[in-house]
Amino acid sequence: MNEIEINDKILTFEKIEDEKIFFSSDSFYSNHSENIDINYPTKVKISLLSFDRKLIKSYNLFGIFLDSNTYISLEKYLILENSIIISFDGILLSFNKENFILNWQKKDFTDIFSLKSYKNDLIIYDELEIARIDINGNYKWRFSGIDHFISYQGTENFIFCKEYIKMIDSNEVEYRISYDGEDINKINTNYFQEIKPSKENFLTRIIKNFR
């Protein structure tokens, strides 16, 4: 079991080995669960305890990607005001820090790599997009690039600069996304302006060949 201290409380994460634990009202499904082999250890229990280790509330999560010999990572969580924000795969959950009651959840991401706080909001780094969400779970903006935001050359991603967030996609294209969600260098606009004439020229050549 892994655990972290949050002020006067303890947040714990542990695998569930009991096959008799089934989905209930205090459970969540990962958006990857349909792709996971039934024999893969995919159940995780998250609990909030008082400092003297009395249970406040717990939840079960189903369909989580786990290595068979390791516990779930505690890297993707954030304390924001009175909320505990936790992400698993493409699921984002917000809980009340005092009673661990669910505030809200988002299930429309692909694979969340990281999350950071910015001016009391959340900035989410997902495989296919960057998003800014307020403390109440409302989207302020969502930004997608030409390709997914993964550098296969190991270039550092999700860098917070003074005026923008620096992102790199799988083609090593650099994006500068303002904190208002604007494409500062207009990468997307320029790309589609360039590709449209090339497609039109391609179609023109094909039509000529049939004349």
Side-chain angles (χ1 to χ4, degrees):
M1 179 171 66
N2 285 358
E3 59 182 54
I4 55 174
E5 293 184 8
I6 301 176
N7 297 331
D8 59 342
K9 296 180 178 61
I10 302 171
L11 185 65
T12 66
F13 297 70
E14 60 183 315
K15 290 182 183 179
I16 300 174
E17 305 293 349
D18 188 353
E19 295 181 358
K20 296 180 181 179
I21 299 295
F22 299 105
F23 192 83
S24 67
S25 58
D26 285 339
S27 304
F28 301 96
Y29 267 118
S30 163
N31 58 348
H32 292 159
S33 59
E34 70 276 8
N35 299 319
I36 299 179
D37 188 276
I38 192 169
N39 295 318
Y40 203 75
T42 64
K43 300 176 185 177
V44 173
K45 182 178 182 180
I46 56 173
S47 305
L48 188 67
L49 313 176
S50 62
F51 209 69
D52 57 358
R53 307 195 73 83
K54 293 181 179 179
L55 177 65
I56 296 173
K57 191 170 181 60
S58 64
Y59 296 90
N60 297 327
L61 295 100
F62 290 75
I64 304 302
F65 280 135
L66 290 174
D67 291 332
S68 58
N69 296 318
T70 60
Y71 290 131
I72 192 165
S73 170
L74 295 179
E75 295 178 355
K76 291 184 286 187
Y77 77 94
L78 195 64
I79 310 301
L80 194 59
E81 289 192 353
N82 198 42
S83 299
I84 302 174
I85 314 294
I86 302 171
S87 71
F88 293 98
D89 300 332
I91 305 295
L92 189 66
L93 305 169
S94 171
F95 300 97
N96 183 286
K97 190 172 65 174
E98 301 302 320
N99 55 26
F100 214 39
I101 298 297
L102 181 70
N103 295 323
W104 48 263
Q105 63 176 307
K106 300 292 183 185
K107 301 193 294 182
D108 53 352
F109 289 104
T110 300
D111 203 351
I112 298 173
F113 294 146
S114 183
L115 56 155
K116 294 182 180 180
S117 61
Y118 177 78
K119 292 187 176 180
N120 213 39
D121 289 338
L122 290 165
I123 305 290
I124 310 300
Y125 168 21
D126 180 64
E127 179 180 350
L128 298 182
E129 65 177 310
I130 305 299
R132 182 171 177 176
I133 303 175
D134 68 21
I135 191 66
N136 297 313
N138 301 308
Y139 286 107
K140 289 192 170 180
W141 51 261
R142 307 178 77 167
F143 181 93
S144 298
I146 301 166
D147 210 330
H148 53 186
F149 289 121
I150 297 176
S151 170
Y152 294 111
Q153 297 183 18
T155 307
E156 187 177 359
N157 233 325
F158 202 42
I159 301 174
F160 278 45
C161 303
K162 184 177 180 180
E163 303 293 337
Y164 59 87
I165 303 166
K166 178 182 174 181
M167 298 300 303
I168 305 294
D169 72 12
S170 60
N171 299 304
E172 292 300 307
V173 175
E174 178 182 315
Y175 299 77
R176 296 185 177 186
I177 308 163
S178 78
Y179 291 98
D180 293 321
E182 298 175 354
D183 184 359
I184 293 177
N185 291 343
K186 301 187 183 304
I187 299 296
N188 284 340
T189 301
N190 293 337
Y191 174 80
F192 288 110
Q193 283 180 344
E194 291 174 2
I195 200 171
K196 183 179 178 181
S198 66
K199 285 183 176 179
E200 290 175 346
N201 293 337
F202 177 68
L203 290 172
T204 300
R205 291 196 301 271
I206 292 177
I207 291 171
K208 286 182 177 180
N209 290 334
F210 283 95
R211 286 179 176 175

PDB file of all heavy atoms in Angstrom, residues 16-24 43 60 62:
ATOM      1  N   ILE A  16      -6.506  -4.179  -5.019  1.00  0.00           N
ATOM      2  CA  ILE A  16      -7.548  -5.055  -4.479  1.00  0.00           C
ATOM      3  C   ILE A  16      -7.367  -6.428  -5.113  1.00  0.00           C
ATOM      4  O   ILE A  16      -7.506  -6.579  -6.321  1.00  0.00           O
ATOM      5  CB  ILE A  16      -8.959  -4.520  -4.786  1.00  0.00           C
ATOM      6  CG1 ILE A  16      -9.145  -3.126  -4.177  1.00  0.00           C
ATOM      7  CG2 ILE A  16     -10.023  -5.478  -4.266  1.00  0.00           C
ATOM      8  CD1 ILE A  16     -10.462  -2.469  -4.554  1.00  0.00           C
ATOM      9  N   GLU A  17      -7.051  -7.389  -4.300  1.00  0.00           N
ATOM     10  CA  GLU A  17      -6.846  -8.747  -4.798  1.00  0.00           C
ATOM     11  C   GLU A  17      -8.108  -9.602  -4.690  1.00  0.00           C
ATOM     12  O   GLU A  17      -8.207 -10.645  -5.324  1.00  0.00           O
ATOM     13  CB  GLU A  17      -5.710  -9.419  -4.024  1.00  0.00           C
ATOM     14  CG  GLU A  17      -4.396  -8.639  -4.022  1.00  0.00           C
ATOM     15  CD  GLU A  17      -3.755  -8.555  -5.395  1.00  0.00           C
ATOM     16  OE1 GLU A  17      -4.210  -9.273  -6.307  1.00  0.00           O
ATOM     17  OE2 GLU A  17      -2.789  -7.768  -5.546  1.00  0.00           O
ATOM     18  N   ASP A  18      -9.067  -9.139  -3.907  1.00  0.00           N
ATOM     19  CA  ASP A  18     -10.286  -9.912  -3.665  1.00  0.00           C
ATOM     20  C   ASP A  18     -11.163  -9.921  -4.912  1.00  0.00           C
ATOM     21  O   ASP A  18     -11.660  -8.883  -5.350  1.00  0.00           O
ATOM     22  CB  ASP A  18     -11.052  -9.319  -2.481  1.00  0.00           C
ATOM     23  CG  ASP A  18     -12.237 -10.178  -2.053  1.00  0.00           C
ATOM     24  OD1 ASP A  18     -12.549 -11.161  -2.760  1.00  0.00           O
ATOM     25  OD2 ASP A  18     -12.846  -9.856  -1.023  1.00  0.00           O
ATOM     26  N   GLU A  19     -11.367 -11.080  -5.510  1.00  0.00           N
ATOM     27  CA  GLU A  19     -12.175 -11.192  -6.726  1.00  0.00           C
ATOM     28  C   GLU A  19     -13.658 -10.954  -6.453  1.00  0.00           C
ATOM     29  O   GLU A  19     -14.448 -10.794  -7.388  1.00  0.00           O
ATOM     30  CB  GLU A  19     -11.979 -12.570  -7.358  1.00  0.00           C
ATOM     31  CG  GLU A  19     -10.559 -12.809  -7.853  1.00  0.00           C
ATOM     32  CD  GLU A  19     -10.403 -14.165  -8.487  1.00  0.00           C
ATOM     33  OE1 GLU A  19     -11.396 -14.936  -8.496  1.00  0.00           O
ATOM     34  OE2 GLU A  19      -9.292 -14.472  -8.984  1.00  0.00           O
ATOM     35  N   LYS A  20     -14.056 -10.943  -5.185  1.00  0.00           N
ATOM     36  CA  LYS A  20     -15.459 -10.763  -4.840  1.00  0.00           C
ATOM     37  C   LYS A  20     -15.853  -9.284  -4.722  1.00  0.00           C
ATOM     38  O   LYS A  20     -17.004  -8.964  -4.443  1.00  0.00           O
ATOM     39  CB  LYS A  20     -15.768 -11.478  -3.519  1.00  0.00           C
ATOM     40  CG  LYS A  20     -15.596 -12.994  -3.608  1.00  0.00           C
ATOM     41  CD  LYS A  20     -15.917 -13.660  -2.276  1.00  0.00           C
ATOM     42  CE  LYS A  20     -15.728 -15.165  -2.367  1.00  0.00           C
ATOM     43  NZ  LYS A  20     -16.010 -15.834  -1.071  1.00  0.00           N
ATOM     44  N   ILE A  21     -14.886  -8.384  -4.916  1.00  0.00           N
ATOM     45  CA  ILE A  21     -15.189  -6.953  -4.900  1.00  0.00           C
ATOM     46  C   ILE A  21     -15.756  -6.576  -6.265  1.00  0.00           C
ATOM     47  O   ILE A  21     -15.093  -6.711  -7.293  1.00  0.00           O
ATOM     48  CB  ILE A  21     -13.928  -6.113  -4.603  1.00  0.00           C
ATOM     49  CG1 ILE A  21     -13.364  -6.474  -3.235  1.00  0.00           C
ATOM     50  CG2 ILE A  21     -14.251  -4.625  -4.684  1.00  0.00           C
ATOM     51  CD1 ILE A  21     -14.276  -6.138  -2.080  1.00  0.00           C
ATOM     52  N   PHE A  22     -17.005  -6.098  -6.285  1.00  0.00           N
ATOM     53  CA  PHE A  22     -17.660  -5.754  -7.542  1.00  0.00           C
ATOM     54  C   PHE A  22     -17.962  -4.259  -7.595  1.00  0.00           C
ATOM     55  O   PHE A  22     -17.899  -3.545  -6.589  1.00  0.00           O
ATOM     56  CB  PHE A  22     -18.957  -6.560  -7.702  1.00  0.00           C
ATOM     57  CG  PHE A  22     -18.736  -8.050  -7.747  1.00  0.00           C
ATOM     58  CD1 PHE A  22     -19.061  -8.832  -6.646  1.00  0.00           C
ATOM     59  CD2 PHE A  22     -18.189  -8.651  -8.862  1.00  0.00           C
ATOM     60  CE1 PHE A  22     -18.856 -10.205  -6.679  1.00  0.00           C
ATOM     61  CE2 PHE A  22     -17.979 -10.021  -8.905  1.00  0.00           C
ATOM     62  CZ  PHE A  22     -18.311 -10.798  -7.810  1.00  0.00           C
ATOM     63  N   PHE A  23     -18.325  -3.807  -8.788  1.00  0.00           N
ATOM     64  CA  PHE A  23     -18.629  -2.391  -9.001  1.00  0.00           C
ATOM     65  C   PHE A  23     -19.856  -1.996  -8.174  1.00  0.00           C
ATOM     66  O   PHE A  23     -20.838  -2.723  -8.109  1.00  0.00           O
ATOM     67  CB  PHE A  23     -18.898  -2.132 -10.485  1.00  0.00           C
ATOM     68  CG  PHE A  23     -18.941  -0.674 -10.845  1.00  0.00           C
ATOM     69  CD1 PHE A  23     -17.777   0.023 -11.080  1.00  0.00           C
ATOM     70  CD2 PHE A  23     -20.155  -0.001 -10.932  1.00  0.00           C
ATOM     71  CE1 PHE A  23     -17.817   1.369 -11.419  1.00  0.00           C
ATOM     72  CE2 PHE A  23     -20.197   1.330 -11.266  1.00  0.00           C
ATOM     73  CZ  PHE A  23     -19.028   2.023 -11.511  1.00  0.00           C
ATOM     74  N   SER A  24     -19.785  -0.808  -7.537  1.00  0.00           N
ATOM     75  CA  SER A  24     -20.892  -0.318  -6.711  1.00  0.00           C
ATOM     76  C   SER A  24     -21.007   1.184  -6.884  1.00  0.00           C
ATOM     77  O   SER A  24     -20.330   1.787  -7.723  1.00  0.00           O
ATOM     78  CB  SER A  24     -20.650  -0.665  -5.239  1.00  0.00           C
ATOM     79  OG  SER A  24     -19.529   0.055  -4.747  1.00  0.00           O
ATOM     80  N   LYS A  43      -7.954  -3.553 -10.102  1.00  0.00           N
ATOM     81  CA  LYS A  43      -8.761  -2.923  -9.055  1.00  0.00           C
ATOM     82  C   LYS A  43      -7.866  -2.186  -8.063  1.00  0.00           C
ATOM     83  O   LYS A  43      -6.870  -2.723  -7.592  1.00  0.00           O
ATOM     84  CB  LYS A  43      -9.593  -3.970  -8.309  1.00  0.00           C
ATOM     85  CG  LYS A  43     -10.568  -4.750  -9.176  1.00  0.00           C
ATOM     86  CD  LYS A  43     -11.262  -5.828  -8.364  1.00  0.00           C
ATOM     87  CE  LYS A  43     -12.140  -6.700  -9.253  1.00  0.00           C
ATOM     88  NZ  LYS A  43     -12.763  -7.809  -8.485  1.00  0.00           N
ATOM     89  N   ASN A  60     -13.482   2.391  -4.851  1.00  0.00           N
ATOM     90  CA  ASN A  60     -12.813   1.378  -5.661  1.00  0.00           C
ATOM     91  C   ASN A  60     -12.760   1.845  -7.106  1.00  0.00           C
ATOM     92  O   ASN A  60     -13.737   2.378  -7.629  1.00  0.00           O
ATOM     93  CB  ASN A  60     -13.549   0.042  -5.587  1.00  0.00           C
ATOM     94  CG  ASN A  60     -13.567  -0.541  -4.188  1.00  0.00           C
ATOM     95  OD1 ASN A  60     -12.617  -0.359  -3.426  1.00  0.00           O
ATOM     96  ND2 ASN A  60     -14.627  -1.237  -3.844  1.00  0.00           N
ATOM     97  N   PHE A  62     -11.863   0.586 -11.053  1.00  0.00           N
ATOM     98  CA  PHE A  62     -11.760  -0.617 -11.877  1.00  0.00           C
ATOM     99  C   PHE A  62     -11.132  -0.268 -13.230  1.00  0.00           C
ATOM    100  O   PHE A  62     -11.424   0.770 -13.816  1.00  0.00           O
ATOM    101  CB  PHE A  62     -13.147  -1.223 -12.113  1.00  0.00           C
ATOM    102  CG  PHE A  62     -13.761  -1.835 -10.889  1.00  0.00           C
ATOM    103  CD1 PHE A  62     -14.285  -1.043  -9.883  1.00  0.00           C
ATOM    104  CD2 PHE A  62     -13.818  -3.214 -10.744  1.00  0.00           C
ATOM    105  CE1 PHE A  62     -14.856  -1.601  -8.753  1.00  0.00           C
ATOM    106  CE2 PHE A  62     -14.390  -3.790  -9.617  1.00  0.00           C
ATOM    107  CZ  PHE A  62     -14.909  -2.972  -8.614  1.00  0.00           C
TER     108      PHE A  62
END
